[in-house]
Amino acid sequence: MGISATQLEIIDVAPRIGSEIRTDVETLLSGREAPRIREVLEQRGVVYFRGLEISDEQQVAIAKTLGTTVATEGEGGIYKISLDSTVNKRAQYLKGSLFWHFDGSLQPYPNLATVLHAIKLSDAGGQTEFCNTYAAYDDLPQSDKDLIADLRVVHSAERSQYYVTPEMSYEEVSFWQNSPTKVCPIVWQHQSGRKSLLLGATADYVVGMSVEQSRALLARLRDWATQPQYVYRHEWQVGDLLIWDNTGTMHRALPYAADSGRLMHRTILAGEEPLN
Ligand code: OGA
Ligand code: MN
């Protein structure tokens, strides 16, 4: 047939994180560039495709070329990200997404990656910021690497809800305390040999540290990891398909109104690597 395969065109959009990939829907659906896309995703933390005009089914099909999709939430592998509780019953929980976090911090395995498709945007706000937690770890002074090498952190949904509702009622606290907590290392030693930081809004306290020391350390490390040189801010256009490596980045949405209509369709790729 003589049809030559479309090459991926890769444009780095910030020095340490984020690449736009230009290609076409057929190439993505074929899966023939999937290994390369996964490689770029791991190296760059965030990749996005612009102007593809894909359907929900195509979003899921593209995700399946990259890994194992998680179908536990959302019809047909698509989960609706909205802060409007008439669109998503878990809107209150999702308000935690306005603060730095990684997805699946409370799950047995953190997700490998998250795929977000911009369906409708807010008039104001609603950009998404990402930071590269591999690069942030690499650049830490050796004294900090030594300090945090074996530290573990208890993550909880309750903790992230204090960001959303600082003065929670007893009922609210009790409700969120019903969600299971999880202990994660601060330093994730990947099978590849690389290391990334695990922090974020669900990070409640460092095991074995005083409350004050623990809060100070978590804030200091988050400040470090979210410095401008590690951050890419995505200015969404309708139709963007964006993927982040959830094992080596944190992200947050910038504030937008719950009734703005902003809607993202999310597909999750299952984690492939346990935490140490
Ligand atoms: C998520 C998330 C951010 C956004 O889907 O996990 O945090 O910008 N989304 O909607
Ligand atoms: Mn998230």
Side-chain angles (χ1 to χ4, degrees), residues 81 94 97 101 103 114 116 126-128 236 244 251-254 256 262 264 266:
I81 298 294
L94 290 176
S97 68
H101 67 283
D103 295 338
T114 304
L116 224 51
Q127 302 89 339
T128 310
W236 291 95
W244 65 85
H251 59 281
R252 66 172 177 184
L254 297 190
Y256 59 95
R262 185 184 190 272
M264 301 282 168
R266 183 172 84 175

Side-chain angles (χ1 to χ4, degrees), residues 228-267:
Q229 66 267 34
Y230 308 124
V231 173
Y232 165 65
R233 177 187 292 185
H234 190 69
E235 301 282 348
W236 291 95
Q237 291 181 13
V238 169
D240 283 356
L241 187 73
L242 181 148
I243 310 173
W244 65 85
D245 172 1
N246 189 59
T247 73
T249 59
M250 287 194 293
H251 59 281
R252 66 172 177 184
L254 297 190
Y256 59 95
D259 64 358
S260 63
R262 185 184 190 272
L263 178 65
M264 301 282 168
H265 280 186
R266 183 172 84 175
T267 303

Side-chain angles (χ1 to χ4, degrees), residues 14 36 106 124 134 139 147:
R36 177 84 183 112
L106 305 169
Y134 279 119
D139 288 357
L147 172 73

Side-chain angles (χ1 to χ4, degrees), residues 59-72 76-77 115 267-270:
Q59 174 177 345
V60 174
I62 291 166
K64 281 184 195 295
T65 69
L66 298 168
T68 307
T69 54
V70 174
T72 48
V115 181
T267 303
I268 285 177
L269 294 182

Side-chain angles (χ1 to χ4, degrees), residues 104-121:
S105 60
L106 305 169
Q107 309 293 324
Y109 280 47
N111 307 324
L112 169 71
T114 304
V115 181
L116 224 51
H117 185 206
I119 305 300
K120 192 173 182 306
L121 304 181

Side-chain angles (χ1 to χ4, degrees), residues 4-10 21-24 27 32-33:
S4 62
T6 307
Q7 296 291 315
L8 300 182
E9 193 186 340
I10 298 162
I21 302 182
R22 295 193 186 148
T23 185
D24 55 34
T27 300
R32 63 178 173 261
E33 295 289 350

